[in-house]
Amino acid sequence: MTRRGIPRPRRWTFAAGCAALVLSVTAPAAFGSSPHVTHGVDPLPHGVHISRDRLAAEVRPAEVKALGRDRAEQLARDRIGLAAVDRGYPQPLRTRSLNEHADSQAAYNAAFTAARSGRFAEYFSSPDFGDHVALLPTGKVLLFSFESVEDSPNKETAPTEVIGRDNAGRAYVWDPAKGTAPSAFKAVPPPVVNMDDGLDEPRPAPVFCAGHSYLPNGMVGIFGGNLGGNHGTGAHLALVFDPWKETWYRQQDLAEGRWYPSVVTGADGRQFITSGHGDIGWGKLSQSIERFPAKNTPVSYDPSATPKGQALDRWPIKAEYSTDYPHLFSLRDGDIYGFGRNYDEQFVFDPQSETSRPLRNRPGGGMRNYGSAVALPNPTPGQGPDSVLILGGDRNDPKTYRFSGGRWTEDSSRAFGRTQDDTLIFPDGRLFTVNGAFDIRDYGKGQYNPNADDFWRKTEIRGADGTWRSGPEQRLPRGYHSNAVLLPDGRIMITGDELQEIANNPDIKSGMNGTIEIYEPPYLHQGGTRPVLTSVPRGPVGYDDTFDVDSGTPDLIDKAVLMAPVTSTHSVDTSQRRIELEITQTAGNTLRLRTPQSTADAPPGYYLLFLLDSRGVPSIAKWVHLRPGS
């Protein structure tokens, strides 16, 4: 959660070196009598005046137990003092910044036409930062992050090094069908857990900076999180979120703590989990490979099943990444490809033999710091991706690199280099890049300074010919912890980057301290009649088989595509893929489609089905459940 190598201290820890300068001569040393205290109030005219009642309310029993009464009271004074002398980030500054962004966005985007470049249509507040997102098979979106310990964008807002109850997770479900008001969001807090930090302070599980992917039954598996301490320590959490019941289930713990791990669903429906900073803090990565569920536990395809307390197990080999959040993809040969941020940490893992082998080094050398990657669509109907495009991660290098057939080639460059970007696949096969920054918590004006050059807000679209062109700009610059999600109606939801969200909050006291922006791609502005998908099978469909769908515009339909839903964080989305389906027959309003050839082409689970016309305009999608043996 902090810039690598420059840890940010917990707020009240910082106070020990700041507020103590004010409090050292003004605050009483204990609750007992003091020559400086009368009527329960420190009377001295300088510094911060702390009443006995205020001090008593601030003292934490866990600190008294662990550190003794005197030290606990001093920490309490520090917190009170810092709250008094550190007034934070003024609301008028936030308001002016948001207004400036809105005005400059409108001025810049006036030069673009929606039919060619799309348009940014809505911008609204959210009760969560949206640092982690997952589109659910219900059409709703899960957003989760953390309870912030700071409301100034000039400081670390996340409880990275905090232990105890203040290091807590939070989560919400947004229902786009209910609009954009606060009532469209429902709180779904993570389960209350008692972390192994020695304080015995249960709190909602601190799942921020976990890894996640979809289970074959449509649920979301979430692994790892933050224990706190030593610049961020890996948690052993293994959780499942049920999108239908909108509740969480705890599984057996991971064998290793993982903070910033990567997770991908393989062709066998199991989660491959690796990397993440481990049990003793940042920099000591967990290199084991864990699997969920364990090999001797059946994979569940049933969305009504309740997964509780399921076990994980480990592969007999390691994944030797020295940096966190490698990009993982399950490609159509059934293997899992792991592209590390360091150029020489590229591997392929075989789930059948539980072995690995190195891949050729990525061209360009060096490290790419939180760039995006996508599994490129395969032009052959029924076949999944067999190549990957690596983008971003280097502010000085706009080049992109394609891995295919065991070889690397340089692909077409984008307009400029950026880190923390998000790249999506559109239903029409084009790519879309949004978000990006100079560095972690840095937009080019210094760390923890939200001011940014406007070019970080620019989007780019990669056409069918493989070339990129610039598009309109988003409202906020969004870098670290930003995300983008394709919604069933074809729009793009953009969220995340709590530093920018709190720096541009129209009312920081409202509790709506996150934001969502909606982008409408060009295909939604082509005019004419949009394709209509009226019905799909109610039950699951199998592989290399046919199924029927109905359309209200059968004569318009040119293509049918499955789009895997997005679950994303830190520029990492391991599930995203586009698979074209063969249309084998059309009779009246009914189209017969052929499903993907195998689970290697499309891992089992829920997919969005879009029908497209010859212009690439998609219908509103409906969900299809791919399940072996159906």
Side-chain angles (χ1 to χ4, degrees):
M1 301 296 299
T2 61
R3 183 177 178 178
R4 302 282 72 94
I6 307 179
R8 297 289 295 186
R10 183 180 180 179
R11 184 177 181 179
W12 60 259
T13 304
F14 172 76
C18 175
L21 297 176
V22 180
L23 300 176
S24 60
V25 297
T26 63
F31 290 120
S33 61
S34 168
H36 300 297
V37 178
T38 59
H39 306 296
V41 178
D42 174 6
L44 296 182
H46 304 292
V48 179
H49 301 279
I50 302 174
S51 70
R52 293 190 185 121
D53 290 343
R54 176 81 182 277
L55 185 61
E58 185 62 39
V59 169
R60 298 178 178 176
E63 292 174 354
V64 174
K65 179 180 179 181
L67 304 172
R69 170 67 63 178
D70 288 348
R71 178 59 176 154
E73 289 179 4
Q74 184 59 55
L75 291 174
R77 292 189 191 96
D78 288 346
R79 287 192 291 270
I80 295 169
L82 184 59
V85 302
D86 176 16
R87 297 290 184 176
Y89 207 77
Q91 181 60 54
L93 184 57
R94 303 175 204 268
T95 304
R96 288 195 296 270
S97 178
L98 179 60
N99 290 340
E100 189 282 328
H101 284 318
D103 292 343
S104 60
Q105 180 191 35
Y108 181 82
N109 290 351
F112 293 87
T113 62
R116 175 172 167 78
S117 302
R119 73 183 183 105
F120 284 92
E122 295 179 271
Y123 180 89
F124 53 96
S125 296
S126 163
D128 190 74
F129 298 129
D131 291 349
H132 299 257
V133 294
L135 176 64
L136 305 174
T138 59
K140 302 177 184 180
V141 183
L142 174 68
L143 307 98
F144 63 96
S145 60
F146 52 83
E147 295 290 353
S148 59
V149 295
E150 175 58 65
D151 63 8
S152 169
N154 298 142
K155 298 177 182 177
E156 178 56 58
T157 61
T160 297
E161 297 185 70
V162 175
I163 60 173
R165 63 187 175 189
D166 290 336
N167 182 358
R170 69 181 184 189
Y172 291 83
V173 167
W174 173 49
D175 185 354
K178 292 184 177 180
T180 61
S183 58
F185 297 87
K186 174 185 175 182
V188 288
V192 173
V193 298
N194 197 350
M195 304 298 291
D196 183 22
D197 56 16
L199 293 183
D200 191 24
E201 294 181 356
R203 86 309 287 262
V207 289
F208 68 96
C209 298
H212 29 95
S213 67
Y214 294 99
L215 309 185
N217 59 8
M219 300 182 188
V220 185
I222 298 160
F223 304 94
N226 181 272
L227 178 65
N230 196 17
H231 314 318
T233 302
H236 290 247
L237 296 166
L239 305 172
V240 169
F241 183 79
D242 183 332
W244 292 277
K245 298 177 182 177
E246 295 182 348
T247 191
W248 300 74
Y249 301 110
R250 190 169 183 182
Q251 312 306 310
Q252 294 186 24
D253 280 352
L254 295 164
E256 292 192 65
R258 298 183 187 274
W259 187 51
Y260 289 67
S262 293
V263 185
V264 67
T265 304
D268 60 359
R270 300 180 191 274
Q271 276 56 56
F272 175 102
I273 307 159
T274 195
S275 190
H277 301 275
D279 294 306
I280 59 175
W282 178 78
K284 187 69 173 179
L285 273 78
S286 298
Q287 294 187 332
S288 66
I289 299 168
E290 296 193 60
R291 172 173 42 205
F292 179 82
K295 195 172 185 178
N296 59 358
T297 301
V299 171
S300 174
Y301 303 97
D302 183 359
S304 66
T306 300
K308 289 185 178 179
Q310 292 188 337
L312 300 93
D313 63 1
R314 285 194 277 188
W315 284 29
I317 63 169
K318 293 183 177 181
E320 297 183 357
Y321 292 107
S322 62
T323 54
D324 49 45
Y325 276 136
H327 289 286
L328 302 178
F329 296 98
S330 180
L331 299 185
R332 74 175 306 263
D333 60 3
D335 288 342
I336 292 171
Y337 288 76
F339 301 98
R341 293 194 284 130
N342 281 333
Y343 78 101
D344 58 351
E345 294 179 354
Q346 320 295 317
F347 304 98
V348 60
F349 303 91
D350 184 342
Q352 298 298 317
S353 63
E354 299 182 14
T355 59
S356 70
R357 66 181 188 277
L359 299 172
R360 295 182 180 180
N361 292 346
R362 187 191 65 241
M367 186 185 76
R368 298 176 78 87
N369 194 22
Y370 299 123
S372 57
V374 293
L376 291 171
N378 193 320
T380 304
Q383 294 187 2
D386 55 14
S387 60
V388 173
L389 191 65
I390 306 294
L391 313 95
D394 185 343
R395 62 178 178 260
N396 299 312
D397 184 3
K399 293 180 179 178
T400 69
Y401 298 99
R402 177 172 181 153
F403 181 86
S404 182
R407 297 177 57 250
W408 290 95
T409 56
E410 186 175 323
D411 208 82
S412 54
S413 294
R414 294 187 295 188
F416 56 91
R418 60 174 102 189
T419 68
Q420 289 96 54
D421 57 294
D422 293 280
T423 301
L424 289 182
I425 308 170
F426 282 161
D428 63 8
R430 290 185 288 178
L431 303 184
F432 172 70
T433 289
V434 65
N435 303 326
F438 178 84
D439 204 346
I440 297 172
R441 307 294 200 204
D442 192 336
Y443 303 87
K445 309 298 182 182
Q447 195 182 24
Y448 293 93
N449 182 347
N451 292 328
D453 291 322
D454 284 344
F455 65 81
W456 297 118
R457 300 158 61 190
K458 296 178 182 178
T459 60
E460 296 185 66
I461 296 177
R462 181 180 185 264
D465 62 355
T467 59
W468 294 87
R469 59 180 176 82
S470 293
E473 68 181 24
Q474 60 201 104
R475 179 72 52 90
L476 301 186
R478 297 184 194 253
Y480 201 44
H481 299 162
S482 60
N483 294 291
V485 176
L486 171 68
L487 298 174
D489 61 9
R491 298 179 302 159
I492 307 300
M493 166 192 176
I494 300 159
T495 190
D497 192 337
E498 68 279 358
L499 186 148
Q500 289 294 336
E501 289 170 314
I502 66 174
N504 294 276
N505 194 318
D507 182 3
I508 195 64
K509 297 181 180 179
S510 69
M512 301 290 283
N513 54 8
T515 59
I516 294 171
E517 190 163 11
I518 300 296
Y519 169 76
E520 297 173 347
Y523 52 65
L524 295 181
H525 295 277
Q526 300 305 303
T529 301
R530 185 176 181 180
V532 175
L533 174 60
T534 56
S535 68
V536 298
R538 293 177 61 89
V541 297
Y543 289 85
D544 197 20
D545 199 358
T546 59
F547 68 102
D548 293 343
V549 302
D550 290 332
S551 170
T553 56
D555 294 337
L556 293 180
I557 307 308
D558 181 62
K559 290 180 179 178
V561 298
L562 290 180
M563 300 290 295
V566 168
T567 180
S568 170
T569 188
H570 291 74
S571 303
V572 175
D573 171 30
T574 65
S575 68
Q576 186 179 197
R577 66 177 64 204
R578 176 187 185 271
I579 304 171
E580 186 174 338
L581 304 182
E582 180 186 0
I583 303 175
T584 64
Q585 182 180 327
T586 301
N589 289 339
T590 300
L591 287 75
R592 181 157 294 171
L593 310 178
R594 181 166 292 279
T595 56
Q597 296 176 9
S598 70
T599 59
D601 292 289
Y606 281 80
Y607 289 77
L608 292 165
L609 174 64
F610 290 93
L611 300 180
L612 285 73
D613 67 16
S614 59
R615 303 171 299 169
V617 177
S619 66
I620 295 175
K622 292 186 179 297
W623 292 93
V624 172
H625 188 192
L626 289 180
R627 175 174 177 171
S630 298

